[in-house]
Amino acid sequence: MTATIQTAIDDLYLLTRLLPAGIESALARRDPADLLEIILDLGRPPQARYRDAAVRLSERPLDRATLESIVRAVGEFGADNRAGIEGTLHRISAIRNRRGDIIGLTLRVGRAVFGTIELIRDQVESGKSVLLLGPPGVGKTTKLREVARVLADDFGKRVVIIDTSNEIAGDGDVPHPAVGSARRLMVPSPERQHAVMIEAVENHMPEVIVVDEIGTANEAMAARTIAERGVQLIGTAHGNTLENLVLNPTLCDLVGGVQTVTLSDEEARLRGTQKTVSERKGPPTFDVVVEIVSRDTVIVHADAGRAVDAILRGASPRGIRRRQDAAEDTEGGEPEEPAPVRGEPSLSGNGRPARIYVYALSRDSVDRVIRDLQLEARTVRFPDQADLVLTLRAREDDPKLRRLVDPGRVPVHAVKKNTTAQIRALLRSVFNIVYGEDPATVDDLVRETERAVRRVKADGVKAELSPRPSALRRLQHRIVTRHGLVAESVGVEPERRLVIYPV
């Protein structure tokens, strides 16, 4: 994977200034970039926890007067025993005795880290719903924060964050700048999170919802409701691996659920299994599951349903391990087969999903067709981000469009009417979708045609392609026409083939 420079903003001084001078000066002796949290327990020496060690900040146990002074400086704690510092991402959690008195504090450092989602950026940009799994402290919330910013600012999506205890967008009424222009709905207490998730969909028309720590049956049900309404969902859940999630009776519905099925004797013999087997109940709420192994390593299950099916059969889910500065490799066997995407190799130019700018058409309709056809594509808000433009035929020559887009650099495709059917037909053509054909055959055809087109343009000579069935020749004709050349079919079946001519 390509290395990405990560930068962090933490406003650490706003947290450490709550501490007595002696503890604050002890913290200054180590690199603050590695500080995770500060532990303050009554009657025990204060402690700082770093990525690689726990360090005492004083040999003197913390007394009640010092603890109470820190609590007064922090302010009011909510029903979930959490408080924050306005304008920052730091989280302060209280431990209470049976009388309700605070006898300990955990001061967790919150950082806005930019450049953390490159390992999963292709999945986020695809428009699919993505679930992040992993142990505490590996950066799940940090990644959610950047996902919200990227989708809101880079793609112009309507992003709503469901922010329980102000964990993602920071404390205070104004969201932290780290989430960009994404909007935030505060959740007053954890048990209300599912209700706020539904409220977001019903009241605020989001295209993307970002939610941290899906942990109850109500929240799992709310997530399914959101996904069924066509909203992209980016979330985290309890559990370190996909196998953990499948075995969790409360949360397994996030990846399709599990049901017990009794087979007939004949079916059991054909499958070579017992008569009673476990099967996936339905489609997953989340299309993609990402296991976060560490801050620079993830395992991506790009087809969650297929991975769950493998687990229920007792096989490996075969996720793809991605590491910063390393090639991808496969966990537990051969790589997962990619979805049958049939697009021009040069459409985006660098392997990422194609970016489509929509002009004088319904962007929602285009997004819906992209999802239905499972295209590796995304709509974008600004024309300078686009790989291609979709518009109405009557608006192709609009002066405003010509000012926004250089047709020589970005291809412009048009439909006669603003209907889903016409948009679907156009995108099927643009992305070279041919139903009933082997994806490898179509990919080979597209590459051969592209090479021939380049040769005709460069050398000014005709090029003869390999014999193909009529459906595939029609696809070749579309590719040639998009490049401004002409072609004709010659020969007799099954040797009939396309010849491309220079113009």
Side-chain angles (χ1 to χ4, degrees), residues 30-295:
R30 285 190 57 128
D31 184 358
D34 292 329
L35 180 63
L36 298 177
E37 58 188 12
I38 302 162
I39 306 299
L40 303 173
D41 288 337
L42 182 64
R44 293 180 173 178
Q47 185 183 83
R49 292 180 179 170
Y50 295 87
R51 297 191 196 282
D52 59 350
V55 177
R56 281 191 177 187
L57 299 175
S58 172
E59 293 303 319
R60 294 180 55 188
L62 190 72
D63 58 59
R64 190 175 295 276
T66 302
L67 181 62
E68 289 176 352
S69 69
I70 297 172
V71 170
R72 285 195 298 272
V74 169
E76 185 178 353
F77 286 84
D80 56 357
N81 283 316
R82 291 180 177 180
I85 300 171
E86 187 160 355
T88 77
L89 301 169
H90 305 309
R91 188 184 76 196
I92 303 165
S93 303
I95 297 174
R96 299 178 185 270
N97 62 17
R98 291 196 298 175
R99 296 190 303 274
D101 301 325
I102 293 177
I103 57 172
L105 294 173
T106 302
L107 283 64
R108 186 169 182 180
V109 178
R111 293 184 174 92
V113 186
F114 300 91
T116 65
I117 66 166
E118 291 307 310
L119 291 175
I120 60 170
R121 191 180 183 106
D122 59 329
Q123 302 298 329
V124 171
E125 290 187 4
S126 71
K128 299 175 182 177
S129 291
V130 180
L131 181 66
L132 307 180
L133 303 176
V138 295
K140 297 191 297 296
T141 305
T142 302
K143 285 180 170 59
L144 283 186
R145 203 173 285 129
E146 188 174 11
V147 165
R149 178 183 60 79
V150 168
L151 291 179
D153 291 358
D154 294 357
F155 289 91
K157 292 292 184 181
R158 300 189 299 271
V159 180
V160 173
I161 298 168
I162 310 301
D163 206 1
T164 304
S165 304
N166 295 346
E167 185 83 2
I168 302 174
D171 205 59
D173 292 341
V174 179
H176 194 278
V179 300
S181 58
R183 303 181 75 190
R184 184 258 297 272
L185 292 188
M186 294 187 185
V187 182
S189 59
E191 60 270 16
R192 289 274 303 152
Q193 178 165 290
H194 70 282
V196 178
M197 291 168 68
I198 298 300
E199 177 189 333
V201 178
E202 293 179 344
N203 292 356
H204 303 289
M205 295 181 61
E207 295 173 285
V208 184
I209 283 184
V210 175
V211 59
D212 203 5
E213 297 290 359
I214 300 172
T216 69
N218 284 337
E219 289 162 10
M221 190 177 300
R224 176 164 291 280
T225 299
I226 291 169
E228 287 174 348
R229 296 190 184 190
V231 177
Q232 183 182 10
L233 190 60
I234 311 291
T236 69
H238 302 294
N240 295 348
T241 66
L242 179 56
E243 288 92 336
N244 295 154
L245 201 63
V246 171
L247 295 174
N248 186 325
T250 303
L251 298 181
C252 64
D253 188 56
L254 296 176
V255 287
V258 179
Q259 62 183 354
T260 301
V261 177
T262 301
L263 307 176
S264 67
D265 292 339
E266 183 179 359
E267 181 69 15
R269 281 196 302 273
L270 288 173
R271 294 193 186 190
T273 65
Q274 297 177 343
K275 290 187 65 175
T276 302
V277 297
S278 294
E279 291 186 348
R280 179 159 52 92
K281 190 186 301 181
T285 300
F286 288 89
D287 309 298
V288 180
V289 174
V290 177
E291 300 172 11
I292 304 177
V293 180
S294 65
R295 291 180 182 274

Side-chain angles (χ1 to χ4, degrees), residues 445 447-468 473 476-477 480 485-490 496-503:
L445 173 144
R447 292 189 178 90
E448 179 194 19
T449 310
E450 289 278 353
R451 285 194 299 268
V453 164
R454 288 194 294 269
R455 188 165 68 251
V456 171
K457 284 186 171 182
D459 300 337
V461 297
K462 70 177 183 179
E464 190 170 296
L465 303 179
S466 303
R468 303 283 185 178
R473 290 199 306 275
Q476 290 176 319
H477 272 289
V480 171
L485 298 176
V486 295
E488 67 172 345
S489 294
V490 300
R496 195 163 174 79
R497 59 205 175 276
L498 211 67
V499 178
I500 306 174
Y501 297 96
V503 175

